Amino acid sequence: MSRSRVHDGVVFRRKESKVWWIRYRDRNGNRRRESSQTEDWNEAQKRLRERLQARDNNILDVVKKGESLSFGQWADFFLENYSKPPMRAQKTHEVNQRAAKHLKSAIGANTLVDITADRVELYLRDRLRQRVRIRSSFGVREKQTLQPATVHQEFRVLRRMLNVAVRKKLLPANPCAGVEFPVRVKGLFRPHYVSWSEQKRIEQHAQPHLRNIVRIITETGLRVYKELMPMKKCDVDLANAVVWIPDSKTPNGIAEVPLTPLAVDAFTDQLAIAGPGPFLFPSEKNKSGHQVALKTVWAKTLKRARVPYFRIYDLRSTYATRLSAGGVADEWVTQLLRQGDAKVFKKYSQMKLQMKREALQKINRKANESRTGFDTEKVN
């Protein structure tokens, strides 16, 4: 019989050393020794308990990896391997770079396992008190305090970085899951639904290529900058009413997208004005050969149409909402959006109040009272 173990671990001190050491056994029964990196006996006991708990939860190796890697090192690795094209769009990479600069200056020296929910919340509160800093030839000027949406964007980038760290088994869990954003962010993740009359008004004041973009996105749900702008003419098959998406934000986005008759007309019109080049939306001003930004022309068009500003990406939300209003099942809407997670669909489909009122008109207040069946008589 094997001899029973009285202790799971022990704290001891080596000769000629002021630092306490800990000794314990892993799940395989192998003896491990390591420094507690402290001269306080209570802190050494705490570290031993953390090691034993990690061992019992089968995350000991994950914790040890996270202790040997600083957040600054992981942020640089993330930006190089998980942020640049073709993994993410160039604009997304630029946003990640800006957010990582502030994150690294605040918590870059911390190891991954030292980043807790409380530490993240302290960082967010500190950023919300800071002011916008503008560098000029006269020096650095401070303006108004940072907008909560700007700080929340940094929080989303941090959450994305740590999610990848969890998948790479560098962290047992993402501490951002336990973070509550300190202030309320107005209008975040609330897409604008474009009514048909509003869309017609925008198209009347838009340039021909922008009018085609509006019609294509509301009829197909394509991502404007990742999928539609770099599209080539060879990817459009009008005879079969489909377009091929060779590159997308997610693997599910790479697929054939069916076209409605309105979308076919918009693609036909765009092919006629695109010129002889390979791209559907060409541009001589960009090295890529196609248009990469629509922000200015989009804002001016909305102003001429007297429509309050909203993101052009919200046209994709309009596409999802119109499918839902037409009675298409949520599972099919998710597939038409080419999303891998059905939860994302809730962000895109915004059922309007009028649609809900129309649904309430179908209430049968005498249901199950008639012997012959449901009584559909209206009740005044």
Side-chain angles (χ1 to χ4, degrees), residues 138-149:
F138 299 100
V140 179
R141 292 184 302 165
E142 289 190 351
K143 302 184 72 175
Q144 71 278 6
T145 56
L146 289 172
Q147 294 290 331

Side-chain angles (χ1 to χ4, degrees), residues 266-286:
F267 273 110
T268 303
D269 185 59
Q270 185 59 35
L271 287 170
I273 65 177
F279 291 102
L280 194 63
F281 297 92
S283 175
E284 298 178 354
K285 299 180 180 180
N286 299 303

Side-chain angles (χ1 to χ4, degrees), residues 119-269:
R119 181 69 184 86
V120 175
E121 288 184 351
L122 288 174
Y123 167 78
L124 296 175
R125 292 191 181 96
D126 181 63
R127 284 290 287 161
L128 288 169
R129 289 192 293 265
Q130 295 180 11
R131 292 182 174 273
V132 178
R133 296 169 61 89
I134 299 178
R135 296 182 182 273
S136 64
S137 58
F138 299 100
V140 179
R141 292 184 302 165
E142 289 190 351
K143 302 184 72 175
Q144 71 278 6
T145 56
L146 289 172
Q147 294 290 331
T150 302
V151 182
H152 196 277
Q153 188 177 60
E154 297 175 9
F155 172 63
R156 296 200 304 272
V157 173
L158 174 62
R159 184 172 56 195
R160 163 70 178 159
M161 288 180 175
L162 298 183
N163 276 336
V164 178
V166 171
R167 289 202 296 270
K168 293 298 179 181
K169 297 188 182 303
L170 299 174
L171 280 176
N174 192 337
C176 292
V179 173
E180 183 175 354
F181 198 71
V183 298
R184 183 178 179 181
V185 183
K186 296 181 180 179
L188 190 64
F189 295 136
R190 294 186 61 186
H192 172 73
Y193 172 77
V194 184
S195 63
W196 179 249
S197 59
E198 194 176 49
Q199 179 180 337
K200 295 293 289 183
R201 196 160 66 250
I202 294 172
E203 292 178 358
Q204 289 174 359
H205 293 82
Q207 298 180 17
H209 76 284
L210 185 59
R211 180 171 60 248
N212 294 329
I213 290 173
V214 172
R215 185 61 62 91
I216 290 172
I217 298 177
T218 54
E219 293 293 319
T220 62
L222 294 179
R223 297 177 174 93
V224 57
Y225 292 118
K226 186 65 175 178
E227 298 173 350
L228 185 57
M229 291 296 98
M231 183 175 290
K232 295 183 177 180
K233 297 177 182 178
C234 59
D235 297 328
V236 182
D237 184 2
L238 296 181
N240 296 310
V242 294
V243 292
W244 167 248
I245 308 300
D247 186 24
S248 183
K249 179 180 178 181
T250 62
N252 290 320
I254 302 175
E256 282 187 331
V257 178
L259 303 178
T260 64
L262 291 178
V264 171
D265 293 340
F267 273 110
T268 303
D269 185 59

Side-chain angles (χ1 to χ4, degrees), residues 26-45:
D26 59 19
R27 292 177 67 89
N28 297 325
N30 299 323
R31 181 179 294 180
R32 293 196 180 189
R33 294 180 183 178
E34 60 183 81
S35 172
S36 66
Q37 300 179 355
T38 180
E39 298 180 11
D40 189 345
W41 184 84
N42 291 324
E43 289 295 326
Q45 286 284 352

Side-chain angles (χ1 to χ4, degrees), residues 312-323:
I312 192 172
Y313 196 84
D314 289 346
L315 297 175
R316 178 171 161 88
S317 309
T318 299
Y319 167 74
T321 301
R322 290 176 179 177
L323 287 174

